[in-house]
Amino acid sequence: MILYYAVHGEWPPLPAETRAASTTPSHTTTLSLGNDHGRPGDTTQVTLRGDGLLGFAGGDFVVVYDPQEVARIAGVNATGLAAGMTSAYRDDGAGRLFISLADDAEISGSDALLTIDFVLADNAQSGQATPLLLAGAHLNDLLGRDFVTSFPSNTLIREHGELVVGLEGYNLYLPAVKR
């Protein structure tokens, strides 16, 4: 942007979608982590979903998990609305997963953004529900403006998920019926 300003003497024009977003009085976007279940040692897949995205061109996310129940992160893949975006991730091994998404085009709508593959620890306790916290989320438009701080009337809601360790994730007891 600074180079554009130096060459043309003005700031670059906003894309049409971004102009509409900047004049919108308020907007709410919800980011939510899904739930999954598996046995100790299994790989489970959790989806990060975005609802009500408007002019989204990139973001940074932090997912916190219990490192005693999750052995490692097997992969993070952009999917759904973000399928064409470049993604990168780093797992610190202590229960924090840092994810970044970016693209040179904006997207709007509601759909899945990422899938995260968790490998459950071999010694994970069966019947244990492990919370997955979406501890950090920052959305940016094509010009790098933050969805919340650049537009104070916007709201970003984060919803957490969980992993359940067990045969089917939940124990279901049915009564015996004698005929």
Side-chain angles (χ1 to χ4, degrees):
M1 286 179 50
I2 294 171
L3 179 59
Y4 185 96
Y5 187 83
V7 171
H8 300 284
E10 63 184 15
W11 294 109
L14 296 174
E17 259 186 12
T18 305
R19 280 194 305 272
S22 63
T23 60
T24 303
S26 66
H27 188 77
T28 299
T29 295
T30 302
L31 296 173
S32 56
L33 280 172
N35 302 317
D36 202 8
H37 61 272
R39 294 183 227 178
D42 283 356
T43 300
T44 64
Q45 191 172 76
V46 173
T47 301
L48 174 63
R49 179 178 172 81
D51 289 306
L53 293 168
L54 182 65
F56 171 64
D60 294 309
F61 312 96
V62 179
V63 177
V64 175
Y65 62 89
D66 183 353
Q68 293 179 348
E69 301 295 324
V70 175
R72 64 184 176 87
I73 305 299
V76 175
N77 298 299
T79 188
L81 279 176
M85 291 187 149
T86 301
S87 65
Y89 72 95
R90 180 179 63 86
D91 178 20
D92 72 355
R96 289 182 301 182
L97 173 64
F98 301 91
I99 306 168
S100 293
L101 278 173
D103 200 9
D104 59 357
E106 292 181 338
I107 56 174
S108 296
S110 299
D111 199 1
L113 297 175
L114 296 165
T115 57
I116 306 167
D117 298 325
F118 292 92
V119 178
L120 298 175
D122 290 333
N123 61 349
Q125 294 184 2
S126 193
Q128 178 75 26
T130 300
L132 299 174
L133 305 176
L134 186 55
H138 299 280
L139 304 178
N140 299 317
D141 66 8
L142 197 55
L143 300 176
R145 296 178 302 176
D146 185 272
F147 177 77
V148 175
T149 59
S150 296
F151 307 98
S153 59
N154 287 350
T155 304
L156 182 61
I157 298 171
R158 297 178 300 190
E159 296 177 351
H160 310 297
E162 71 178 7
L163 291 175
V164 178
V165 182
L167 180 60
E168 291 298 325
Y170 302 96
N171 293 327
L172 177 64
Y173 298 99
L174 298 174
V177 177
K178 185 174 181 182
R179 290 185 177 217

